[in-house]
Amino acid sequence: MMKEDIKALVRRALETACQQGLLSPAAPIESIPVEIDHTKFDAHGDFSTNIAMVSARTFRTAPRKIAQALVECLPASGDLFDKVEIAGPGFVNFFITPSAWGQVVGYIYQQGQAYGASNIGDGKRVQVEFVSANPTGPLHVGHGRGAAVGDALANILASSGYTVQREYYINDSGRQIMTLGRSVYLRALQVSGRSVAFPEQCYQGEYIYALARKLLADERAAILEAPEQVAIERCARFAADAILAGIREDLEAFGVSYDRWFSEQALYDRKKVEQTLAELTERGIVYTKDGAQWFKTTAHGDEKDRVVVRRNGITTYFASDIAYHYDKFRRGFERVIDVWGADHHGYIARVKAAIAAGGVDPARFDVILVHLVNLLRKGSPVAMSTRSGEFVTLKAVVDEVGADAARFIFLSRDHDSPLDFDLELAKEKSNDNPVYYVQYVHARIASIVRKATDRGAPAQPWHPQMADALTTPEDVRLIKMLALYPEAVAQAAQKLEPHRITFYLMELAAAFHAYYNRQRVLTDEARLAQARLCLAGAVRRVIQYGLGLLGISAPEQM
């Protein structure tokens, strides 16, 4: 809000300087970018602009002379500026009056839930596809991190003016589903008393036994007496449907819902994969070599061409992925964002190449890679045995620490970095627990408001004159943090980095803790107490808004 006000004043000053003959542009000044940045040091003011250096060629004048003309022509700004200085080669530094900072609090109340929201997306349709785990086993903690990242990003983009659709791609076709069916079938035979070998390539987890027992209880004769391939196909459908139902339940318990669940099998049923390959073959993009069909991805930057149909006539996963991504853009999405595990890094180039070959600008396709989660307990790694097929499920983590703690910790680091998740720390009610640290500020402020009511001096609505009472360095420092929230949301949307909101909330919480230790909110001076109640209330609102974008609750009591 304040940066935009200063930007408008600078733009007007530039126009005035030209009108008065102080500056003579060699090109239209409308093309000159006006950037207002926060300064790094208090001695340099609150905001700064480098417009004098940027426009030196346009005005064919030394930057400091441009800066001097700009300062002279700044329009009256009321009580906004305490002073304006020219520094270095031509930077213009703006020092904001404390009372002007106080008006930020009023703006937060005026905007309500819209504070921090923007229209940078301009209504563009964006699809965010995330998790999309194969329905061959329960979700594990790695899927949980992808779910938190994808869901929070969708919230942030929607808050930034995009029209967002959340989608889950169900890999319910192909070899892994038949392997699932064979795994359940063989376990069913074992459970029924038959002695059969269980290959290592089959799914090993205890959940396979559970599926086999359930299927036998419902359809024993149909499984044990049917021809093997028929029984395996039945086991595959049953197991995939049951696992997918469990995935849905786990995601709902984690606070994640989707606008659409898209079936890979539906692409085959609707002949979309077949039609896509035929079109690409006709265009010479898919060709035959050594009995297989290849996609000419090297023509669009990939390191080598990729097989789409094997020599045995079976399509690869890449074939259906091509058809799926073509379908996405045909549905009218202007931007497509996929959230993948870090182990899919090598897959990006081929998908981008396929998108480019389909006539779509690959810049409209983004991939967010989510790195591994190292699960700890009191600093020690949690043992997981991949040989036995056992792993820590997302459900187990949520049941132990809660969805709020799990989501916040999943989002507490850049998704492109490995993450240590300590189960015991996530349950602690201490400042070492990041989600507790932030949520406690919201609860503490709610307690302060209740205490004010109990004392017979409940919080009053914000009034502009309250800004005159919020002038201590601590007041201003806290308000400056509140003013940064819209930028944090905008940057999170532009850079596709939801952890920026988490980082911001941690900084805001730290700022309030420091403020509360130095300044009394409920002072004996009624006017000051009311102003600080409003300031605390603004902090409470921003924490609530930020946590909401992350899909995390803001408790009134803890």
Side-chain angles (χ1 to χ4, degrees):
M1 178 266 297
M2 193 170 292
K3 285 178 67 173
E4 292 303 315
D5 291 342
I6 298 172
K7 184 181 291 187
L9 291 172
V10 169
R11 176 67 71 186
R12 285 167 57 191
L14 213 57
E15 294 170 352
T16 301
C18 293
Q19 291 167 359
Q20 294 182 0
L22 298 176
L23 296 173
S24 300
I29 64 172
E30 291 78 13
S31 62
I32 300 173
V34 179
E35 297 295 334
I36 307 297
D37 297 311
H38 294 276
T39 57
K40 294 182 179 179
F41 305 102
D42 291 341
H44 297 164
D46 299 299
F47 297 97
S48 180
T49 182
N50 66 347
I51 190 171
M53 285 83 83
V54 171
S55 61
R57 285 189 176 183
T58 301
F59 293 115
R60 293 172 295 189
T61 304
R64 282 192 68 91
K65 184 176 179 181
I66 297 171
Q68 186 61 48
L70 189 150
V71 171
E72 290 179 12
C73 294
L74 276 174
S77 57
D79 298 323
L80 179 60
F81 299 135
D82 188 27
K83 60 180 178 178
V84 180
E85 291 182 345
I86 300 171
F91 289 101
V92 180
N93 295 336
F94 303 91
F95 295 76
I96 307 301
T97 63
S99 60
W101 276 116
Q103 296 301 336
V104 172
V105 178
Y107 188 72
I108 292 171
Y109 283 97
Q110 176 189 340
Q111 290 289 297
Q113 291 280 356
Y115 184 67
S118 68
N119 194 37
I120 59 176
D122 196 26
K124 292 180 180 177
R125 295 189 66 214
V126 176
Q127 185 211 63
V128 183
E129 182 222 322
F130 57 105
V131 182
S132 297
N134 295 341
T136 54
L139 298 180
H140 55 63
V141 288
H143 296 134
R145 190 179 188 189
V149 169
D151 194 50
L153 178 61
N155 289 337
I156 292 165
L157 291 173
S159 176
S160 302
Y162 292 91
T163 301
V164 181
Q165 186 206 57
R166 294 166 168 82
E167 184 154 299
Y168 188 114
Y169 181 54
I170 309 167
N171 300 102
D172 55 355
S173 179
R175 183 174 55 192
Q176 86 278 3
I177 295 298
M178 286 301 102
T179 300
L180 174 66
R182 178 171 294 279
S183 302
V184 173
Y185 175 68
L186 293 177
R187 288 305 190 201
L189 294 181
Q190 291 179 342
V191 169
S192 66
R194 301 185 190 181
S195 178
V196 294
F198 196 83
E200 285 190 8
Q201 63 267 29
C202 286
Y203 295 104
Q204 304 287 327
E206 177 60 33
Y207 69 96
I208 298 295
Y209 275 111
L211 289 167
R213 293 188 188 99
K214 178 68 170 66
L215 188 55
L216 285 175
D218 295 341
E219 305 179 35
R220 186 178 186 88
I223 298 303
L224 299 181
E225 298 175 12
E228 180 176 303
Q229 190 57 38
V230 173
I232 288 174
E233 291 177 1
R234 173 60 191 139
C235 288
R237 288 296 117 211
F238 169 83
D241 290 346
I243 291 171
L244 186 60
I247 287 173
R248 287 177 184 258
E249 290 177 6
D250 291 349
L251 288 170
E252 287 175 6
F254 196 48
V256 175
S257 60
Y258 290 88
D259 300 300
R260 183 168 184 178
W261 295 71
F262 191 105
S263 165
E264 178 188 9
Q265 184 60 45
L267 290 171
Y268 287 98
D269 294 342
R270 290 157 46 203
K271 307 294 184 184
K272 290 294 183 181
V273 178
E274 180 182 328
Q275 292 170 11
T276 298
L277 294 180
E279 292 171 8
L280 293 171
T281 301
E282 186 176 343
R283 293 170 52 198
I285 297 171
V286 169
Y287 64 93
T288 301
K289 185 182 76 172
D290 299 330
Q293 293 182 44
W294 300 70
F295 193 109
K296 198 181 296 183
T297 49
T298 51
H300 297 280
D302 197 11
E303 61 182 2
K304 62 181 180 180
D305 291 349
R306 308 290 178 173
V307 176
V308 288
V309 182
R310 300 183 182 92
R311 282 182 290 182
N312 60 7
I314 297 176
T315 54
T316 63
Y317 292 127
F318 184 42
S320 55
D321 280 342
I322 296 168
Y324 176 47
H325 284 85
Y326 284 7
D327 183 86
K328 290 185 180 193
F329 287 106
R330 285 168 182 161
R331 282 186 264 157
F333 293 111
E334 296 171 78
R335 191 176 185 186
V336 167
I337 302 169
D338 287 4
V339 180
W340 297 349
D343 56 338
H344 286 72
H345 180 271
Y347 207 71
I348 297 175
R350 74 187 70 174
V351 175
K352 279 187 172 287
I355 289 170
V360 175
D361 182 356
R364 292 168 57 190
F365 173 64
D366 294 286
V367 176
I368 293 175
L369 294 176
V370 178
H371 276 250
L372 296 174
V373 177
N374 302 313
L375 205 60
L376 310 173
R377 191 177 294 279
K378 294 184 178 180
S380 299
V382 174
M384 293 184 286
S385 172
T386 54
R387 179 175 296 275
S388 65
E390 299 300 328
F391 45 83
V392 179
T393 64
L394 173 62
K395 183 180 186 304
V397 171
V398 172
D399 287 347
E400 181 170 351
V401 307
D404 281 352
R407 287 181 74 119
F408 197 97
I409 293 173
F410 282 141
L411 294 166
S412 63
R413 292 200 66 187
D414 181 354
H415 53 72
D416 202 27
S417 303
L419 172 71
D420 289 338
F421 188 129
D422 195 303
L423 293 164
E424 294 301 321
L425 178 62
K427 294 184 289 185
E428 280 187 13
K429 294 183 177 181
S430 73
N431 288 343
D432 292 331
N433 180 353
V435 66
Y436 181 86
Y437 187 69
V438 172
Q439 287 181 321
Y440 183 69
V441 170
H442 187 273
R444 169 174 271 183
I445 295 172
S447 175
I448 293 170
V449 172
R450 289 193 298 270
K451 188 178 291 186
T453 301
D454 293 341
R455 291 183 179 183
Q460 300 298 312
W462 170 263
H463 190 280
Q465 292 181 353
M466 289 182 179
D468 296 333
L470 300 174
T471 56
T472 70
E474 289 82 6
D475 291 325
V476 172
R477 196 173 296 118
L478 185 56
I479 294 170
K480 285 183 179 181
M481 274 301 307
L482 292 172
L484 290 174
Y485 177 67
E487 292 179 51
V489 178
Q491 289 179 1
Q494 291 164 345
K495 297 179 180 295
L496 307 182
E497 295 178 344
H499 70 274
R500 288 178 177 269
I501 305 299
T502 316
F503 285 7
Y504 170 81
L505 291 175
M506 291 287 290
E507 290 184 26
L508 178 58
F512 184 80
H513 283 303
Y515 178 83
Y516 192 75
N517 290 333
R518 293 190 174 204
Q519 297 288 347
R520 290 182 60 196
V521 175
L522 300 181
T523 69
D524 295 331
E525 185 184 344
R527 177 171 168 271
L528 179 58
Q530 284 300 322
R532 286 185 172 168
L533 273 172
C534 282
L535 172 56
V539 173
R540 179 186 178 188
R541 284 176 175 234
V542 172
I543 286 179
Q544 177 189 341
Y545 302 157
L547 288 174
L549 290 180
L550 303 180
I552 297 169
S553 69
E556 297 287 313
Q557 294 179 307
M558 294 184 70

